[in-house]
Amino acid sequence: MDERAGEVWRRAPSVYEKLDRLAGRPKHEANKDLLALLGITSAAGASDASPSVDEFEYAMHMAVMRRLESEDDTNLDEIADMLDAIASAVVELFERASAPGMPSAETERCSAWWRMLLSMAEDIARLIPVEFLGRLVSDFELSLVSLRAAYLKLATQRLSEFDAQREADAKVAEDTEAAAVAVGGGEVKEKEKDS
């Protein structure tokens, strides 16, 4: 990995090494380790030690390019596994962000990881040899079903929170207006007594 890039994306070299170790491992173990790497194993979200989206994307690009340049079938097969693991991590991010009461920053985080995933998938689809494209597409189609479900769950939660906030604001406005009318109505009665 380029030294200057390591200065810009400080965590990218360690992410790159961990991505290399994840390759070729059973899917469940790789997904679990990737979630730990990204700092999304706890409900609290990412820690300061977690790589940013940019750091992860750079490391992932380097891992993919190394495999593409090797022209080894085993290494090329690992690319689809890596993309599948990233998709699973993004699904987990969406699932956690859709919990009630999560801050809007988590939604923004999901958006950044979503864009990174689609960018990676597009780049990989352009560069991977044609004979590996079928597996890549079929695996990614399955991941997209899970991504869609997680996205809809998050959108539904955020919309229900927005609706609840609007209803609460409307209730406060009604109560304020009713109180103003009650106070104003009392003044009218006092004026009538004085007359």
Side-chain angles (χ1 to χ4, degrees):
M1 182 171 280
D2 185 53
E3 242 179 75
R4 288 173 293 190
E7 292 173 10
V8 175
W9 298 291
R10 295 186 189 275
R11 293 181 190 97
S14 65
V15 172
Y16 175 78
E17 290 171 13
K18 290 175 183 175
L19 283 172
D20 266 351
R21 287 194 301 257
L22 292 178
R25 295 187 57 203
K27 183 178 178 176
H28 177 71
E29 287 179 26
N31 288 348
K32 183 179 172 185
D33 290 346
L34 182 59
L35 291 174
L37 169 67
L38 299 178
I40 54 177
T41 56
S42 66
S47 67
D48 291 337
S50 301
S52 70
V53 175
D54 294 333
E55 290 168 327
F56 184 85
E57 184 175 11
Y58 180 77
M60 180 68 182
H61 270 289
M62 293 295 95
V64 167
M65 290 308 295
R66 187 183 65 75
R67 282 164 176 74
L68 287 170
E69 290 169 354
S70 75
E71 297 182 9
D72 178 26
D73 288 354
T74 304
N75 285 339
L76 292 171
D77 260 344
E78 290 174 353
I79 294 172
D81 294 336
M82 293 169 77
L83 187 62
D84 189 43
I86 296 170
S88 295
V90 172
V91 166
E92 185 66 27
L93 279 171
F94 273 81
E95 290 285 336
R96 290 176 188 273
S98 66
M102 291 298 281
S104 61
E106 285 300 306
T107 304
E108 294 300 320
R109 183 176 179 216
C110 288
S111 177
W113 282 90
W114 173 268
R115 285 190 305 274
M116 184 275 303
L117 172 65
L118 295 182
S119 173
M120 287 298 306
E122 183 179 359
D123 291 347
I124 291 169
R126 277 192 229 143
L127 298 172
I128 200 164
V130 174
E131 60 268 17
F132 294 93
L133 195 57
R135 176 174 175 236
L136 180 77
V137 169
S138 65
D139 286 358
F140 197 60
E141 283 177 342
L142 294 174
S143 295
L144 286 174
V145 172
S146 300
L147 285 162
R148 180 181 181 269
Y151 175 84
L152 289 175
K153 184 177 177 182
L154 176 61
T156 301
Q157 177 61 35
R158 290 296 180 247
L159 288 173
S160 68
E161 289 172 0
F162 178 76
D163 290 344
Q165 183 62 42
R166 283 189 57 189
E167 288 174 10
D169 291 346
K171 177 74 172 144
V172 168
E174 286 175 14
D175 291 346
T176 304
E177 187 177 314
V181 168
V183 169
E187 290 174 7
V188 170
K189 289 179 185 177
E190 285 178 21
K191 287 180 183 178
E192 288 174 2
K193 285 182 186 179
D194 290 338
S195 327

